[in-house]
């Protein structure tokens, strides 16, 4: 009987986060294949042609009963962000698997202040909790950090063995190593944004690319019209149509909120704006946290400069 069921993040047309010449969906599928090769019959990998988030495979009961589940991801954020950690359902206590996995992944990909975190705003941990599935999501370093990305690629078997050990699986010494792959080609360099302090569709699209958003359409959807007056710098591609607090908000705004360390509800307002001002303060020289992005915003200019360098 399998000791672990492996779900690969993203896929089915969604590449996940992309940086340093790698795509998250491809990398985690390569890792799952090595886990299966090394772990043999004790490892079961879920259908890698699917996007288990979008098609709600967990909520539809597609995980084998009684088998612990791990979902593989890589994180993406601005310069300096690195390290791995384990995500479990908020309010749950980590079990022996979670603790062993966090101890390994935090050592293999150091850099996080916490190696186990509880989250209440992620779909799959919530779905697993509702179905009684023993589940955790692991962020295997930051694809946006060159060191993490290269270690993932070049030490993949060591990474796979460490994860398997957390589930009590001893990797087979006879498992063949993969043939060396051609060196990844650097991603095409995007055309630079105009650093003008105005946040339109081109700036939004670059945010979506850098932060690995699932939709890359240059749009910021379903924002509260009550805050439109705070956003004089925000021009094309913004939609102010959501009644106050009515979910869902924008996944793009949610990604920005996570990058800035504030609750990710998908709605931009004074708290999120001030978090962005703080996030870019060292580069922008902004003096006041006033909950506004005025026309020609210093904060937006600093953000555009960062995005032109492939970071947030």
């Amino acid at each position: 009987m399998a000791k672990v069921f492996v779900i690969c993040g993203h896929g089915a047309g969604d590449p996940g986060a992309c940086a340093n010449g790698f795509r998250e969906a491809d990398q985690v599928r390569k890792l799952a294949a090595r886990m299966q090769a090394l772990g043999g019959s004790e490892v079961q990998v879920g259908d890698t042609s699917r996007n288990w988030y979008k098609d709600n495979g967990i909520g539809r009961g597609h995980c084998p009963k009684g088998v612990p589940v791990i979902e593989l991801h890589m994180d993406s954020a601005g310069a300096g962000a690195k390290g791995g950690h384990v995500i479990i359902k908020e309010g749950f206590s980590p079990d022996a698997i979670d603790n062993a996995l966090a101890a390994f992944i935090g050592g293999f990909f150091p850099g996080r202040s916490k190696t186990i975190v509880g989250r209440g705003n992620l779909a799959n941990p919530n779905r697993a909790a509702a179905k009684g599935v023993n589940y955790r999501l692991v962020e295997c370093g930051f694809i946006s950090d060159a060191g993490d990305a290269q270690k993932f690629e070049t030490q993949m078997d060591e990474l796979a063995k460490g994860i398997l050990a957390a589930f009590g699986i001893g990797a087979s010494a006879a498992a063949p190593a993969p043939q060396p792959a051609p060196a990844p080609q650097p991603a095409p360099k995007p055309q630079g944004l105009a650093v003008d302090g105005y946040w339109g569709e081109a700036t939004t699209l670059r945010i979506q690319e850098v932060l690995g958003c699932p939709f890359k359409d240059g749009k910021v959807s379903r924002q509260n019209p009550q805050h439109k007056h705070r956003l004089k710098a925000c021009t094309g591609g913004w939609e102010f149509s959501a009644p106050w607090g009515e979910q869902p908000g924008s996944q793009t705004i949610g990604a920005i909120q996570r990058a800035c360390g504030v609750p990710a509800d998908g709605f931009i307002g004074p708290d999120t704006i001030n978090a962005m001002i703080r996030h870019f303060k060292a580069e922008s020289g902004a003096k006041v946290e006033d909950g506004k992005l005025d026309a020609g915003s210093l904060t937006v200019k600093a953000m555009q400069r960062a995005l032109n360098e492939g970071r947030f």
Side-chain angles (χ1 to χ4, degrees), residues 31-43 156-162 164 169-178:
L31 175 59
R34 293 308 301 152
M35 290 172 63
Q36 189 163 50
L38 292 162
S41 62
E42 293 182 310
V43 179
M156 194 174 296
D157 275 15
E158 289 79 358
L159 174 58
K161 290 174 184 177
L164 292 175
I169 301 171
S172 169

Side-chain angles (χ1 to χ4, degrees), residues 190-196 201-204 206-207 303-305 307-308:
Q191 184 176 356
L193 295 169
V195 180
D196 56 8
E201 291 188 34
T203 297
T204 297
R206 191 69 186 117
I207 291 169
M303 178 175 70
Q304 290 167 328
R305 284 191 290 270
L307 293 169
N308 281 338

